[in-house]
Amino acid sequence: MNIHLPDSIRDGEHLYAVRVYYEDTDAGGVVYHANYLRFAERARTEALRDLGVAHAEMAVQHGLMFMVRRIKVDYLGPARLDESLVVATRVAAIRGAVVELRQDVRNETRLLVGLDIQLACVRVTDQRPARVPVRWTEALMALSCREMAPSGAQ
Amino acid sequence: MNIHLPDSIRDGEHLYAVRVYYEDTDAGGVVYHANYLRFAERARTEALRDLGVAHAEMAVQHGLMFMVRRIKVDYLGPARLDESLVVATRVAAIRGAVVELRQDVRNETRLLVGLDIQLACVRVTDQRPARVPVRWTEALMALSCREMAPSGAQ
Amino acid sequence: MNIHLPDSIRDGEHLYAVRVYYEDTDAGGVVYHANYLRFAERARTEALRDLGVAHAEMAVQHGLMFMVRRIKVDYLGPARLDESLVVATRVAAIRGAVVELRQDVRNETRLLVGLDIQLACVRVTDQRPARVPVRWTEALMALSCREMAPSGAQ
Amino acid sequence: MNIHLPDSIRDGEHLYAVRVYYEDTDAGGVVYHANYLRFAERARTEALRDLGVAHAEMAVQHGLMFMVRRIKVDYLGPARLDESLVVATRVAAIRGAVVELRQDVRNETRLLVGLDIQLACVRVTDQRPARVPVRWTEALMALSCREMAPSGAQ
């Protein structure tokens, strides 16, 4: 089923490259803490696109969209100007209208920032929760991390 | 006619205070150059609100909005973290569907950034140019700089 | 001891007003989720300033700074263009080198976003943790929420 | 001399791809006007890197950096969420401490935003103007637009 996975997906992770520019940094000389949320959202968007289930399509075909409902961010180390980062995205759980992702921002040597993201699938018209369409659930399974395996996707 | 001008307007200038936070700076230790455009837009929004002609009202009453059509920015000196800046906004010209503004960003001692802004008044529905409503033109006159006076609104 | 508290502090909360501008919104018509972290950081900066213990001073006098170590954000409702928001900041706990804050972003009718912020006090030179200076701890106590009182600083 | 030009350079233009994400848009449904300056700066950074004369290296080897001194931006059409844009960068002139660039932001069908950028080469220590190093001038020549050729835009 996962035969045609794109190059950006390896070992159940979607990998997205980010370069740090001046716009991302602050006077502390490092990436401004809120900007990791921008990096993470770019990575989520590209992950969906690479999986063949782009968010624009979900809106058009189903009248649905993902909204960020909860974010937990752990800052473990700073990133600096010109650094090459990678955002690794995995699915932690899918249940009903909720998708939980784990996103790790790494430089070449270590984990810098870890994000736990809870997305709600909602109707575009009134923002009410709606079950994630089957095609999206199936596609997202390609990013299921190992820990999900035993007990199923909850 | 200018009897009830708010405190934020003095000598034909609208004054808007901006504090520099980490989010505004970059790894060079100064305000990131694109962020002065954000400061300037906040100031324009508050200038219209203080003049009693808020942009939201223009949309609701006339189906019109201002779009930025051209910007020229001169960077004369840097602003740093925690600095208190002022954005001074004046009207340079109003003709037909076009409003030209001059915005100066100053700290306590000098001019840091000068912006010449050309706004187009357009219809919300199709972005086609439309004459600036009389009430807006009249209100904006409170910010007319001296140079406008003799030769008319150009 | 809290005799000279500034107007921005009421009932153990520091209140900071934020207006929503175009720069803060996204194509969904609401405030972009990462931008609440910017609002929250502005509010923290002003809270320290209003308490008489500005972060710039901490750097100069003690060679110390606060770094964001962990953030948890709950998105409960959207904020829209032109809305007036308030960021309410309280101290949840202070222990050793760690300060935990609770920040609520509200509009006129409800709570929109809740943030739990964990700050680490670190040395500017090498980012190693360092005890929060007594003067800062004492000042921050003005923002101590009721729950802290009985058991002390947890 | 231009034998080993990278793929990103064609016909004297450096081409840099930008995807529009939610972070780039505003409540008007289009890219927020200030964000084109961020796109343009990313493109300039990559242009220098692709030419083998990265800005970090200029700082380390020569103690010099480029500062934005003047920007003129013409907004001709809007870009929307998910659009693929290209920033084309050319050198318009190099003289003494000043480099003038022309940057065009295009989507698949048309020119959306044109930027004329004036950079000053300055010393990192005191921001005083300094001649652009020969190696940088020579490398930048690969981006010289045709119009420069006849009269020598210097």
Side-chain angles (χ1 to χ4, degrees):
Chain A
M1 168 177 131
N2 289 344
I3 295 172
H4 297 297
L5 283 181
D7 293 346
S8 56
I9 298 179
R10 289 189 217 149
D11 298 331
E13 279 190 332
H14 179 269
L15 302 179
Y16 176 75
V18 174
R19 174 80 71 172
V20 177
Y21 297 109
Y22 268 110
E23 60 176 291
D24 305 310
T25 59
D26 69 20
V30 300
V31 169
Y32 183 65
H33 71 285
N35 288 339
Y36 290 100
L37 274 64
R38 294 167 47 214
F39 296 167
E41 203 231 6
R42 292 182 205 170
R44 293 195 299 273
T45 304
E46 294 304 334
L48 288 178
R49 198 192 316 273
D50 289 351
L51 289 168
V53 289
H55 66 82
E57 197 188 329
M58 190 161 93
V60 170
Q61 291 189 359
H62 301 274
L64 299 176
M65 58 184 287
F66 286 117
M67 281 184 58
V68 179
R69 178 179 282 177
R70 176 175 296 176
I71 286 186
K72 197 164 77 62
V73 195
D74 285 285
Y75 298 93
L76 307 171
R80 297 180 193 284
L81 187 65
D82 285 328
E83 261 195 288
S84 278
L85 308 179
V86 169
V87 185
T89 300
R90 284 169 292 160
V91 173
I94 306 176
R95 45 169 196 279
V98 174
V99 175
E100 290 184 7
L101 302 176
R102 168 70 187 188
Q103 298 190 281
D104 288 338
V105 183
R106 307 173 190 142
N107 65 7
E108 290 184 9
T109 57
R110 58 176 290 207
L111 173 63
L112 301 181
V113 177
L115 301 100
D116 291 297
I117 312 277
Q118 192 179 99
L119 301 172
C121 179
V122 300
R123 299 195 303 208
V124 172
T125 48
D126 59 6
Q127 264 76 262
R128 299 199 54 164
R131 202 170 188 74
V132 180
V134 173
R135 198 157 91 74
W136 268 255
T137 304
E138 285 181 358
L140 286 166
M141 283 302 169
L143 302 183
S144 297
C145 46
R146 285 164 297 279
E147 298 90 278
M148 287 182 62
S151 67
Q154 309 201 26
Chain B
M1 172 177 128
N2 288 345
I3 295 171
H4 298 296
L5 283 180
D7 293 346
S8 57
I9 298 179
R10 289 187 217 152
D11 298 332
E13 280 191 332
H14 178 270
L15 302 179
Y16 176 73
V18 174
R19 175 79 72 171
V20 177
Y21 297 108
Y22 269 110
E23 61 175 292
D24 304 311
T25 59
D26 69 20
V30 300
V31 169
Y32 182 65
H33 71 287
N35 288 339
Y36 291 101
L37 274 63
R38 294 167 47 215
F39 297 168
E41 203 231 5
R42 294 181 204 169
R44 293 196 299 272
T45 303
E46 294 304 334
L48 288 178
R49 197 190 318 272
D50 289 350
L51 289 168
V53 290
H55 66 83
E57 197 189 329
M58 190 161 92
V60 170
Q61 292 189 358
H62 302 274
L64 299 176
M65 58 184 287
F66 286 118
M67 282 184 58
V68 178
R69 178 180 282 176
R70 176 175 295 176
I71 286 186
K72 196 164 77 63
V73 195
D74 285 284
Y75 298 93
L76 307 172
R80 298 181 192 284
L81 187 64
D82 285 326
E83 261 194 289
S84 279
L85 308 178
V86 169
V87 185
T89 301
R90 284 169 292 159
V91 173
I94 306 176
R95 45 171 196 277
V98 174
V99 175
E100 290 184 8
L101 302 175
R102 168 71 187 187
Q103 298 191 281
D104 288 338
V105 183
R106 308 173 189 141
N107 65 8
E108 290 184 11
T109 58
R110 57 175 291 206
L111 173 62
L112 301 181
V113 178
L115 302 101
D116 291 297
I117 313 277
Q118 192 179 99
L119 301 172
C121 179
V122 300
R123 301 195 302 210
V124 172
T125 48
D126 60 5
Q127 264 76 262
R128 297 201 55 165
R131 200 169 190 77
V132 180
V134 173
R135 198 157 90 75
W136 267 256
T137 305
E138 285 181 359
L140 285 166
M141 283 301 169
L143 302 182
S144 298
C145 45
R146 287 164 296 280
E147 300 89 277
M148 287 180 64
S151 67
Q154 317 208 11
Chain C
M1 165 176 134
N2 289 345
I3 296 172
H4 297 297
L5 284 179
D7 292 346
S8 56
I9 298 180
R10 288 186 220 152
D11 298 331
E13 279 191 333
H14 178 269
L15 302 178
Y16 176 74
V18 173
R19 175 79 73 171
V20 178
Y21 297 108
Y22 269 109
E23 62 176 289
D24 305 311
T25 59
D26 68 22
V30 300
V31 169
Y32 182 66
H33 72 285
N35 288 338
Y36 291 100
L37 274 63
R38 293 167 47 215
F39 297 168
E41 203 231 5
R42 292 180 205 170
R44 293 196 299 272
T45 303
E46 294 303 334
L48 288 178
R49 198 191 317 274
D50 289 352
L51 289 168
V53 289
H55 65 83
E57 197 189 330
M58 190 161 93
V60 170
Q61 291 189 358
H62 301 274
L64 299 175
M65 58 184 287
F66 286 118
M67 283 184 58
V68 179
R69 177 180 284 178
R70 176 175 294 176
I71 286 186
K72 196 165 76 64
V73 195
D74 285 284
Y75 298 93
L76 307 171
R80 297 180 193 285
L81 188 64
D82 285 328
E83 261 194 291
S84 278
L85 308 179
V86 169
V87 185
T89 300
R90 283 169 294 160
V91 172
I94 306 176
R95 46 170 196 278
V98 174
V99 175
E100 292 185 6
L101 301 175
R102 168 69 186 188
Q103 298 191 280
D104 288 338
V105 183
R106 309 172 188 141
N107 65 9
E108 289 184 11
T109 57
R110 60 175 290 209
L111 173 62
L112 301 181
V113 177
L115 303 101
D116 292 299
I117 312 276
Q118 192 180 97
L119 301 173
C121 179
V122 300
R123 301 195 301 209
V124 172
T125 47
D126 59 7
Q127 263 76 262
R128 299 200 55 165
R131 200 169 190 76
V132 180
V134 172
R135 198 158 91 75
W136 268 256
T137 304
E138 283 181 359
L140 286 166
M141 282 301 168
L143 302 181
S144 298
C145 45
R146 286 164 296 279
E147 299 92 278
M148 284 182 65
S151 66
Q154 308 199 28
Chain D
M1 167 176 130
N2 289 345
I3 295 173
H4 297 297
L5 283 180
D7 292 347
S8 56
I9 298 180
R10 288 187 219 151
D11 298 333
E13 279 190 332
H14 178 269
L15 302 179
Y16 176 74
V18 174
R19 175 79 72 171
V20 177
Y21 297 108
Y22 269 109
E23 62 176 290
D24 304 312
T25 59
D26 68 22
V30 300
V31 169
Y32 182 66
H33 72 286
N35 288 338
Y36 290 100
L37 274 63
R38 293 167 47 213
F39 298 168
E41 204 232 3
R42 293 181 205 170
R44 293 195 300 273
T45 303
E46 294 303 334
L48 288 177
R49 198 191 316 273
D50 290 352
L51 289 168
V53 288
H55 66 82
E57 197 188 329
M58 190 161 92
V60 170
Q61 292 189 358
H62 301 274
L64 299 176
M65 58 183 289
F66 286 117
M67 283 184 57
V68 178
R69 177 179 283 177
R70 176 175 295 176
I71 286 186
K72 197 166 76 62
V73 195
D74 285 284
Y75 298 93
L76 307 172
R80 296 179 193 286
L81 188 64
D82 286 328
E83 261 194 291
S84 279
L85 308 179
V86 169
V87 184
T89 300
R90 284 169 293 159
V91 173
I94 306 177
R95 46 169 194 280
V98 174
V99 175
E100 291 185 7
L101 302 175
R102 168 70 187 189
Q103 298 191 280
D104 288 338
V105 183
R106 307 172 189 141
N107 66 6
E108 290 185 9
T109 58
R110 59 174 292 207
L111 173 62
L112 301 181
V113 177
L115 302 100
D116 292 298
I117 312 277
Q118 192 180 98
L119 301 173
C121 179
V122 300
R123 299 195 302 207
V124 172
T125 48
D126 59 5
Q127 263 76 263
R128 300 200 55 165
R131 200 169 191 78
V132 180
V134 172
R135 197 158 91 73
W136 267 256
T137 305
E138 284 180 359
L140 286 166
M141 283 301 169
L143 302 182
S144 298
C145 47
R146 285 163 298 279
E147 299 90 278
M148 285 181 65
S151 66
Q154 322 207 15

